[in-house]
Amino acid sequence: MINALTDTDSLAAEPPLANSPAKDALTADSLMTPAEIRLLSALGFMAARSGHVVPAIRIFEGLTVLRKDKAFPYVGLALAMICVGAYGDAARVLRERGLLACPGDPEIEAYLGLALQLAGRMSEAAGVTRELQARKDLSSGLQALVKTVSGLADGQPASDRPRPATVDASADAKGG
């Protein structure tokens, strides 16, 4: 079975252009169009949701390079980790990488609240969501997420809490 969070040999490999003189001429926009970035992001989310966590993590790691100042690659990484029950790791990615790259981003903060809640760190989750509830600039989708996480962090009965899907990362090793 592959451990989706520690099987990073190929993730740690040096990017192909790392030592190339051409690397300075390339920008994230010249490597991929916005439409290609959206497609790759959608594939990453679909992979995570369908149990192909290792490819999802690879996709989102690549997107953190191409769009390091955007929230979606960090949220994607965290959601892939959540799919395998690695809630603390998801929270760590959002806090240590996502918020470092995108300080104060409400989407990262909302998913951080979710990851903390799933990790059983209710007081931390409540603190994050309390701050978000005071914001007036949240989209309706983020408002709904914050409201849900706030209810969970504030003591919603366990029987009413959503259950994370169980994912078998070994399917990735079998090419399935």
Side-chain angles (χ1 to χ4, degrees):
M1 178 181 285
I2 291 179
N3 182 332
L5 303 177
T6 59
D7 180 31
T8 56
D9 291 340
S10 63
L11 295 178
E14 202 170 290
L17 295 175
N19 295 317
S20 168
K23 76 173 180 156
D24 295 329
L26 296 174
T27 64
D29 290 331
S30 69
L31 292 174
M32 297 185 87
T33 68
E36 291 167 333
I37 294 289
R38 283 190 299 277
L39 177 61
L40 195 54
S41 179
L43 288 171
F45 284 112
M46 286 187 288
R49 196 172 54 235
S50 64
H52 300 284
V53 177
V54 172
I57 289 172
R58 288 180 179 147
I59 288 169
F60 289 118
E61 283 290 354
L63 288 170
T64 65
V65 173
L66 293 172
R67 295 293 189 269
K68 61 181 140 247
D69 61 339
K70 301 293 183 192
F72 72 90
Y74 304 101
V75 169
L77 274 172
L79 288 175
M81 292 173 182
I82 286 170
C83 284
V84 293
Y87 309 128
D89 290 329
R92 194 169 15 267
V93 162
L94 292 167
R95 182 172 277 147
E96 294 175 6
R97 293 178 61 195
L99 288 175
L100 182 65
C102 309
D105 187 280
E107 186 175 8
I108 292 174
E109 290 177 352
Y111 283 98
L112 173 60
L114 174 64
L116 290 167
Q117 186 277 325
L118 291 170
R121 294 158 59 183
M122 301 305 192
S123 62
E124 286 180 79
V128 170
T129 57
R130 199 174 307 114
E131 291 176 21
L132 282 170
Q133 286 174 321
R135 293 182 66 160
K136 304 296 183 207
D137 62 339
L138 301 183
S139 69
S140 59
L142 279 183
Q143 288 173 359
L145 175 62
V146 169
K147 183 177 179 183
T148 299
V149 173
S150 296
L152 298 174
D154 291 337
Q156 181 180 4
S159 61
D160 295 341
R161 293 182 188 166
R163 301 277 185 242
T166 305
V167 177
D168 181 4
S170 66
D172 291 318
K174 299 173 193 164

